[in-house]
Amino acid sequence: MFKYLFIGAVLLVSENTLAQQLSYSDPATAYMRLLLEKSGEGSYQQIGNFKVVGTSYLYGPKLTGDIYTTKERATNIQLSYNTYNQQVEAYQNNSEKPIIMKLADVDSFRLIAARNSDFKEDLLFVNANKIDASRKFFAQHVIAGKRFNLYKAYKSELGYVSTNYVQSELRQFDLSYEYYYSDSAKPGLKKLKVTPGGLKKEFNEIADITSFANDEELSTNPEYVLGKIFVVLNNK
């Protein structure tokens, strides 16, 4: 078992706090869109034959955080999470040159919310490969439950720049995410199909989630609805 950044009793998210903790208006993708709008095409990095605008770092580079590696831990340092290659860059002792850590080197890390950050709660990421050997990414631990855990996995891919089709070598970082869950009664990490049919097929044998899966908020605020579903599942 790998080391989480928190140790102790597993916490269940209650119905009363879901609205505050869970929001579909995903701040990471919103940050990316805003960054692309502000930066335009003036700055880019070279990846292979492509000139790529935007950033692959979740919420940008050099955020305050803690990291647990396979050998040691470091707290309150600057971290950069590269969602394109699933690496974490750590800056220690005010160094300008980061220590680049591959997925296999890291057990977990946390990005700490600050007063001026684009995210309002600390974000805990775990190495999904430690849960499921077939998974090769970091996953944000969104909900911890006594049986079911919800995760969100971010990734960046090279997409076309819709405002510039003339420069064939120009690309932009497109950030997306998917939801996964773990069940302590079964091994592995399973991808969630966040649709009414997909959720009912996945969970209705455990609990009747029909009213939640049919909630109109599933299309406008799916993470909030998933939170309510996982409360029900973990109370069974």
Side-chain angles (χ1 to χ4, degrees):
M1 292 294 294
F2 62 97
K3 300 182 292 293
Y4 280 84
L5 291 173
F6 60 93
I7 301 173
V10 176
L11 302 177
L12 267 177
V13 178
S14 68
E15 294 270 11
N16 294 332
T17 59
L18 283 170
Q20 296 176 338
Q21 294 182 357
L22 302 176
S23 173
Y24 171 63
S25 182
D26 183 65
T29 52
Y31 173 89
M32 281 294 299
R33 288 194 297 268
L34 183 62
L35 182 67
L36 286 169
E37 290 173 4
K38 285 184 175 181
S39 64
E41 299 162 12
S43 60
Y44 60 86
Q45 64 175 286
Q46 193 77 32
I47 297 181
N49 296 323
F50 299 117
K51 297 177 179 179
V52 188
V53 296
T55 182
S56 58
Y57 295 119
L58 195 71
Y59 295 109
K62 293 187 176 182
L63 303 173
T64 301
D66 307 326
I67 187 168
Y68 278 52
T69 73
T70 55
K71 298 180 180 179
E72 58 186 349
R73 68 177 181 177
T75 59
N76 200 36
I77 63 171
Q78 289 187 317
L79 299 175
S80 303
Y81 169 33
N82 192 326
T83 57
Y84 179 69
N85 57 23
Q86 296 299 314
Q87 293 179 347
V88 181
E89 300 174 10
Y91 295 80
Q92 292 185 297
N93 302 321
N94 297 319
S95 173
E96 288 299 318
K97 187 175 181 180
I99 300 172
I100 299 176
M101 300 180 182
K102 297 180 181 179
L103 180 68
D105 300 328
V106 180
D107 286 333
S108 58
F109 66 93
R110 177 173 58 194
L111 301 179
I112 299 174
R115 183 177 300 177
N116 60 344
S117 64
D118 292 278
F119 51 97
K120 304 309 176 185
E121 301 287 340
D122 291 359
L123 305 178
L124 172 66
F125 289 85
V126 300
N127 185 339
N129 187 248
K130 305 292 185 178
I131 307 171
D132 186 329
S134 68
R135 306 300 183 182
K136 309 294 183 185
F137 51 76
F138 290 107
Q140 181 192 345
H141 201 172
V142 179
I143 293 176
K146 60 184 179 181
R147 176 176 172 183
F148 295 95
N149 291 268
L150 179 66
Y151 300 90
K152 178 192 284 187
Y154 288 98
K155 65 177 179 179
S156 287
E157 297 177 306
L158 303 187
Y160 289 97
V161 180
S162 60
T163 57
N164 190 328
Y165 291 103
V166 177
Q167 294 176 271
S168 60
E169 77 282 5
L170 194 65
R171 294 289 188 275
Q172 68 181 28
F173 285 112
D174 287 338
L175 182 68
S176 62
Y177 58 87
E178 297 172 324
Y179 291 104
Y180 292 79
Y181 80 95
S182 65
D183 178 354
S184 63
K186 301 176 183 178
L189 197 61
K190 191 167 184 180
K191 183 178 175 180
L192 265 180
K193 187 176 183 180
V194 188
T195 63
L199 292 172
K200 285 185 282 187
K201 182 179 179 181
E202 196 71 46
F203 297 125
N204 260 5
E205 287 187 4
I206 301 167
D208 183 5
I209 63 162
T210 302
S211 61
F212 299 115
N214 290 333
D215 193 325
E216 63 180 14
E217 282 190 291
L218 187 62
S219 60
T220 59
N221 199 343
E223 196 163 309
Y224 174 61
V225 177
L226 286 174
K228 293 194 289 185
I229 289 173
F230 273 70
V231 167
V232 173
L233 294 174
N234 279 307
N235 281 330
K236 296 303 288 184

